[in-house]
Amino acid sequence: MDNSKIVTVTSPLLPSLDDFIPYLQDIWDRKWLTNNGHYHQELEKALCEYLKVPYISLFTNGTLPLMTALQALRITGEVITTPYSFVATTHSLWWNGIKPVFVDIDPITCNIDPEKIEAAITPRTTAIMPVHCYGQPCDMVKIKDIADKYGLKVIYDAAHAFGVEVGRKSVLEYGDMSTLSFHATKVYNTVEGGALICHDAETKERIDYLKNFGFAGETTVVAPGINGKMDEIRSAFGLLALKKVDEAILARKQIAELYHRNLENTEGIKILSDMENIRHNYAYFPIFVDSEKYGMTRDELYFKMKEHNIFSRRYFYPLISTFSTYKGLDSARQENLPVATRIADAVICLPMYAGLENGIVERIVDIIKTYD
Ligand SMILES: *Cc1c(COP(=O)(O)O)cnc(C)c1O
């Protein structure tokens, strides 16, 4: 085993180049590069089928669907969200002139704690934007109850939850809308890309206008839209990548199980517990370091792994609420977010991707279990 080999936290799912070349040839022949082309339409169809949803709109990344969902639902005022996510979640609110209101997370799932949502609702609250963190489904039933009670919309940032099902039902069926990211680092990718999932044809039409400058016809602009369109090259890439994603998820599952078996009884290291009745996608493998019990801080372990050429990542640290744009908000105070603060200070996401060799997983586990 070559211990000097650099191990990154992720590695992209790539279709075979030989398979991709005929698709490129066809795109060259068609001379249609973007604006709802052949491969764009094919990918929307294929994803609807794979994800078991009736309507999907492709985007050029996973941030624009968040911003567009807020536009499509005409969200204003305040939106309740989690500080424990990738910054894009909160940024999408800010770009829409919406005030984010941070609510603490549940220590078991790392998702927004539904028990704490009601206390954060004000007369200006219009929506909830939860995240299925690490692909672990939120408590969607409780969130719906609260949303219904107060007349709030729900937009799920499902960037981590590609293919995740609860009791054979896609998580994307919940909420008013859900968004996906197909960034290179995600379980399924189109290099850069994303999607917005809604539940009726009329809303899909509106989203499709919004992602194309608001054009509803050659000379009609019905809304202040943006350019969020996915192109033909990446759509074709996505069609090919989709054929490999089940195999990739299975490979991730085996790696997750290997980590799990090796780490579950390690003093001072906590791992997420399996949720029942879930088809998981094994997007991430986070561990949580209890420095007192482990005898080393999270950062000490993180930098020690780096010295061994293991490039894990501290997802999500720092909390979004600590960044300069947001730290002045009342809800961003650390006292309001004790669980998220503790988890952000403890987390390390270990390398996780299809193709990660068992020997490397064992090398990583050895580093974690060697206390020096
Ligand atoms: C990756 C990610 C996004 C943003 O997606 P991009 O495709 O990078 O724009 C949004 N939210 C979460 C939780 C993410 O992990």
Side-chain angles (χ1 to χ4, degrees), residues 61-63 66 85-86 88-89 131 157 159-160 181-183 186 192-193 284:
N61 60 49
T63 302
L66 288 165
S85 179
F86 182 62
T89 313
V131 178
D157 180 341
H160 297 179
S181 164
F182 306 148
H183 183 254
K186 307 297 207 262
E192 292 264 5
Y284 300 88

Side-chain angles (χ1 to χ4, degrees), residues 289-336:
V289 182
D290 178 333
S291 27
E292 242 153 68
K293 286 198 193 134
Y294 182 66
M296 206 186 281
T297 66
R298 183 275 307 272
D299 283 351
E300 281 167 347
L301 176 58
Y302 171 75
F303 288 111
K304 178 181 147 187
M305 288 170 81
K306 256 192 179 172
E307 279 167 24
H308 287 81
N309 279 336
I310 306 295
F311 291 83
S312 55
R313 295 297 297 267
R314 289 165 288 179
Y315 288 145
F316 289 101
Y317 165 85
L319 291 178
I320 302 174
S321 48
T322 65
F323 294 130
S324 59
T325 315
Y326 307 115
K327 69 178 184 204
L329 294 171
D330 201 37
S331 64
R333 284 174 302 112
Q334 198 170 307
E335 310 88 82
N336 187 46

Side-chain angles (χ1 to χ4, degrees), residues 179-195:
T179 68
L180 291 169
S181 164
F182 306 148
H183 183 254
T185 55
K186 307 297 207 262
V187 167
Y188 166 78
N189 84 88
T190 59
V191 186
E192 292 264 5

Side-chain angles (χ1 to χ4, degrees), residues 75-314:
I75 303 298
T76 57
E78 295 177 5
V79 171
I80 289 171
T81 189
T82 168
Y84 193 73
S85 179
F86 182 62
V87 280
T89 313
T90 312
H91 283 351
S92 72
L93 299 170
W94 204 257
W95 274 71
N96 276 285
I98 294 163
K99 180 177 166 186
V101 175
F102 296 111
V103 163
D104 208 3
I105 60 171
D106 176 302
I108 307 295
T109 63
C110 299
N111 290 328
I112 194 165
D113 186 343
E115 303 298 338
K116 295 183 180 152
I117 291 177
E118 278 194 83
I121 295 174
T122 76
R124 286 172 49 76
T125 309
T126 54
I128 308 170
M129 185 180 270
V131 178
H132 301 297
C133 193
Y134 307 131
Q136 304 231 103
C138 291
D139 191 336
M140 296 174 290
V141 174
K142 256 191 208 147
I143 290 172
K144 181 175 175 3
D145 283 348
I146 298 166
D148 288 349
K149 184 170 164 193
Y150 291 90
L152 308 177
K153 301 285 187 200
V154 180
I155 300 164
Y156 282 104
D157 180 341
H160 297 179
F162 185 89
V164 172
E165 293 175 11
V166 185
R168 307 196 67 79
K169 221 172 122 164
S170 168
V171 290
L172 304 171
E173 285 189 35
Y174 294 85
D176 293 277
M177 291 186 191
S178 294
T179 68
L180 291 169
S181 164
F182 306 148
H183 183 254
T185 55
K186 307 297 207 262
V187 167
Y188 166 78
N189 84 88
T190 59
V191 186
E192 292 264 5
L196 182 47
I197 288 89
C198 65
H199 311 306
D200 64 88
E202 205 181 319
T203 309
K204 152 116 174 115
E205 188 175 51
R206 180 163 163 75
I207 292 165
D208 287 344
Y209 294 157
L210 281 169
K211 77 173 185 191
N212 186 27
F213 310 99
F215 275 110
E218 221 179 291
T219 52
T220 319
V221 171
V222 293
I226 197 156
N227 182 359
K229 302 187 303 296
M230 158 84 79
D231 62 75
E232 286 292 277
I233 296 176
R234 287 183 289 149
S235 300
F237 182 105
L239 275 170
L240 288 170
L242 191 58
K243 294 184 184 163
K244 295 181 79 175
V245 74
D246 277 334
E247 198 186 311
I249 290 173
L250 188 63
R252 285 170 174 274
K253 179 173 197 266
Q254 285 159 357
I255 293 160
E257 285 167 356
L258 189 58
Y259 272 133
H260 204 115
R261 276 199 303 279
N262 280 287
L263 290 172
E264 65 186 336
N265 295 317
T266 309
E267 180 74 5
I269 299 291
K270 258 188 54 188
I271 54 181
L272 289 175
S273 32
D274 288 328
M275 292 172 89
E276 266 173 52
N277 213 13
I278 302 288
R279 182 206 188 231
H280 201 16
N281 65 3
Y282 309 93
Y284 300 88
F285 198 92
I287 61 168
F288 305 92
V289 182
D290 178 333
S291 27
E292 242 153 68
K293 286 198 193 134
Y294 182 66
M296 206 186 281
T297 66
R298 183 275 307 272
D299 283 351
E300 281 167 347
L301 176 58
Y302 171 75
F303 288 111
K304 178 181 147 187
M305 288 170 81
K306 256 192 179 172
E307 279 167 24
H308 287 81
N309 279 336
I310 306 295
F311 291 83
S312 55
R313 295 297 297 267
R314 289 165 288 179

